[in-house]
Amino acid sequence: VTVRANRQVVLAELPGSGPLRVEHFAARDGARPEPGPGELLVRPIVLSIDSANRAWMSGPTYRPQLVAGDVMAGYALAEVAESRDPAFAPGDLVFADTGWQEWSTVPAAEATGVRPVSALTHHVSVLGVSGLTAHVGLHDIGRVRPGDTVVVSAAAGATGNVAGQLARIAGARVVGITGSAEKNALLERDLGFAATVCHRDPDVLGALRAACPDGVDLYFDNVGGPLLDTVLRCTNRGARIVCCGAVSAYDDASGATGPRQVPGRVVTHRLRIEGFIVLDHVDRWPAATAELAGHVASGELRVLEDVLDGLDRAPEALVGMLAGENVGKRLVRVGTDPG
Ligand SMILES: NC(=O)c1ccc[n+]([C@@H]2O[C@H](COP(=O)([O-])OP(=O)(O)OC[C@H]3O[C@@H](n4cnc5c(N)ncnc54)[C@H](OP(=O)(O)O)[C@@H]3O)[C@@H](O)[C@H]2O)c1
């Protein structure tokens, strides 16, 4: 019997509380799975590297915690190779949690079909979860208005760069926070950010006050931690805080940090702090995707992607992203586009 090969990256050891390292992963040669009834055999093409991948290791989130020995979980754009469900046929493209491997079986009910577009990677960046998260967070949760001062953290990242650009398109004045002067220069030069702040600046509060002379009306928060407290101190009455993620806390299993401005300033400034998970808003996806695609086609929305080649590079792609190496959406190309 010939066992058909399947390269896989497993989570060899849980990182616990502390930075994730490439040593927590191991590559191995497994066997290609067979799809059961209602399942698809898929070939991942591009892996989506997400901050959430780290959060899944720390405890239950909106999915069960990962355990040592698991094939590393992760979403990918994939091609259907075999289908045991009438909703899909070989050659179809899907977005699904395939894990970090060359072949995967997924329940058809958990795969989202996507249309072929000229750049397939866009399904994993601007037209995928990152773009949708930015859109839902900014419009549905943040209710952005023309003239708002909008602050975005991790602003050169996958979600943040789209959130910032959408805010600019909506007529807001956009201020980005990132970890480097190079990223900030790019945001101001190429993406229309009005001002930027570096979160490593010893006086972040002073820099943020200078960048937001009219105060902050909306904060799109990807980071959490002490930076949230700093931004809260610059908020205007009635400001909205959109809690999209807390990447600064994903290495800290203690969960001990909390902003000191809550609840005092929330009361005095009538703030609204609201979290969301983009998966709860699937009803909004078709309209949001259409709008995002329109902005890309018109050139108003620049697509920032950061691609590494080869499945074995997925661990370094994730570790590097959490350290702030990436500019735009971090992806790993695992296979070729369908021919
Ligand atoms: N709510 C939802 O449904 C949903 C969906 C998708 C993503 N998210 C969230 O969106 C956020 C962004 O995720 P992404 O996948 O798009 O990743 P990303 O922004 O492309 O990459 C993460 C970025 O976070 C920044 N960062 C890392 N540690 C930091 C720290 N201690 N302080 C400040 N910044 C830090 C780094 O950039 P710099 O330090 O250089 O700025 C890094 O590039 C995450 O919080 C994620 O959980 C939420």
Side-chain angles (χ1 to χ4, degrees), residues 261-322:
Q261 306 301 321
V262 178
R265 196 175 172 101
V266 181
V267 177
T268 57
H269 285 67
R270 291 80 158 168
L271 305 181
R272 178 164 61 84
I273 303 182
E274 185 172 345
F276 74 104
I277 291 291
V278 68
L279 303 173
D280 297 341
H281 297 266
V282 279
D283 57 316
R284 297 285 300 129
W285 291 13
T289 313
E291 208 181 295
L292 287 158
H295 293 318
V296 173
S298 72
E300 277 182 296
L301 183 53
R302 283 271 308 265
V303 181
L304 282 190
E305 294 178 351
D306 181 322
V307 187
L308 278 72
D309 267 317
L311 176 68
D312 284 9
R313 297 192 68 191
E316 75 180 90
L318 177 59
V319 169
M321 185 192 76
L322 295 167

Side-chain angles (χ1 to χ4, degrees), residues 48-53 55 62 129-134 136-137 152-161 177-181 183-184 187 197-200 219-227 242-251 275-281 285 306 318 320-330:
S48 176
I49 302 296
D50 298 302
S51 302
N53 298 154
Y62 45 89
V129 168
S130 307
L132 292 169
T133 301
V136 167
V152 182
S153 52
T159 310
N161 93 80
I177 305 176
T178 80
S180 82
K183 289 183 183 180
N184 285 350
L187 295 182
V197 169
C198 179
H199 64 71
R200 300 182 208 281
Y219 177 38
F220 192 106
D221 185 13
N222 286 313
V223 165
L227 193 57
V242 177
C243 294
C244 177
V247 66
S248 75
Y250 295 164
D251 283 340
F276 74 104
I277 291 291
V278 68
L279 303 173
D280 297 341
H281 297 266
W285 291 13
D306 181 322
L318 177 59
M321 185 192 76
L322 295 167
E325 256 174 30
N326 61 309
V327 177
K329 175 70 197 180
R330 187 148 264 202

Side-chain angles (χ1 to χ4, degrees), residues 132-158:
L132 292 169
T133 301
H135 196 285
V136 167
L138 191 75
H139 287 287
D140 298 84
I141 313 298
R143 299 178 211 156
V144 65
R145 292 186 289 249
D148 277 348
T149 294
V150 175
V151 172
V152 182
S153 52

